[in-house]
Each structure stands twice: as C-alpha cells, then as structure tokens.
Amino acid sequence: MVQHSGTPPERAFEITGATPDGAEAVLAVKDASWREAYAHLLPAAFLAGGLGDSPARTERWRRFLAPESPGRFALVRFRGRVVGFAGAGPARDDDAPAEEELYTVYVLAEMHGTGAGRAVVERVLADRPASLWVFEDNPRARAFYGKLGFVPDGARHLDEIGGATLPEIRMVRGARGDA
C-alpha cells in the first residue's frame, strides 16, 4: 500500500498497472467521475444515461489497456477496489509542444486529497515533459494539473459532448524550447 504523507492509514491506496481485464472497472470510475466532476458542464440527462455501457466501448478500452498499446495506464486501488486511473503516451496533436501527452486522469471524489491522483500520474508520466487537454471551466482539475507543473499554453478548442459545446485548453509542462 502507498500512503500519502498525512493520510490516515484507513485511506491508504495502491497503484497498479492496468490490464485489459480492468476495462469494466476503468469505465465505472470514468463514468462516476464524470457525474461528480462535470455536473455543472453537461446536461443531467446525458450524465444520467448517456455515457453508456456497450460491448464496443468496453472492447475499445480493453485495446487501450493492452500491453501492445502505445499508452501506459495505471490504476488506483483502495481496499481492493479500483477508485482511479490515469493514462499517458505519445502526444496526439500535430503541433504537440511535448512528445508525451497525459490522456486521462480520473479519481473518485472519495479519494480527493489523499495523493492518489498525483501518485497515479507519476506512475504513467513520471516527470517527463507533457501536454494535456482540460475543460476550461474545470477549476479543480486545472488547479491539480498546476500543482504538477502544467500551465496553459494558449491552445484552445471546442469539444461537443452530450449536446454541449465545451471549450478545452491545453496545458503543458517542460515543453520543447522551455528553459
């Protein structure tokens, strides 16, 4: 078990590698995290039922978590249950400011403040320069990424999700050309 400094022992967690058989658990955390984090951004009807469990979605995540995938994924486990995950790998933007991209990080609200988010990001990204995309109106996530050394680089785009148009900003740390 990993214990964040100042975290009571009953809140200890572990970070493990992700494998394709964890796809359902990853999707459960992702969906719950969306409901917790994006209620102010996305329509309630979409969050209530629009995320969808489907064999195709599960299979897509099994491929993401496969050893031959270009991405690296890790899980946060608390008392044996998956409560978070992160994934990173080669940057996907044509104008990527770094070779690596932090693709995804979700940790259930019950684990906020325990160090689980930082630990799972360190597992998949270490201290490598990287970029990421985050909803502009997501102050908690932006503050979390800021603590990890990420800053907005001025890139912005719109994402259509669940009938809403949401601006995203790119954040980077250790970008090419930085001193």
Side-chain angles (χ1 to χ4, degrees), residues 22-36 51-53 57-58 61 81-85 106-108:
E24 290 87 355
V26 163
L27 287 170
V29 167
K30 184 175 191 229
D31 292 353
S33 294
W34 274 50
R35 289 180 182 105
E36 291 171 348
L51 302 176
D53 291 321
R57 184 175 183 233
T58 302
W61 272 90
R81 181 172 62 101
V82 176
V83 294
F85 70 97
Y106 289 106
V107 174
L108 296 178

Side-chain angles (χ1 to χ4, degrees), residues 4 76 85-86 102 104-107 111-125 132 134 138-151 171 173:
H4 179 66
V76 179
F85 70 97
L102 183 59
T104 186
V105 181
Y106 289 106
V107 174
M111 297 301 292
H112 290 178
T114 65
R118 177 182 291 274
V120 75
V121 169
E122 287 174 355
R123 171 73 176 259
V124 298
L125 195 58
L132 62 86
V134 61
N138 190 345
R140 181 178 186 87
R142 290 177 61 178
F144 170 73
Y145 295 134
K147 289 176 186 174
L148 297 177
F150 288 89
V151 296
M171 298 180 75
R173 76 171 183 198

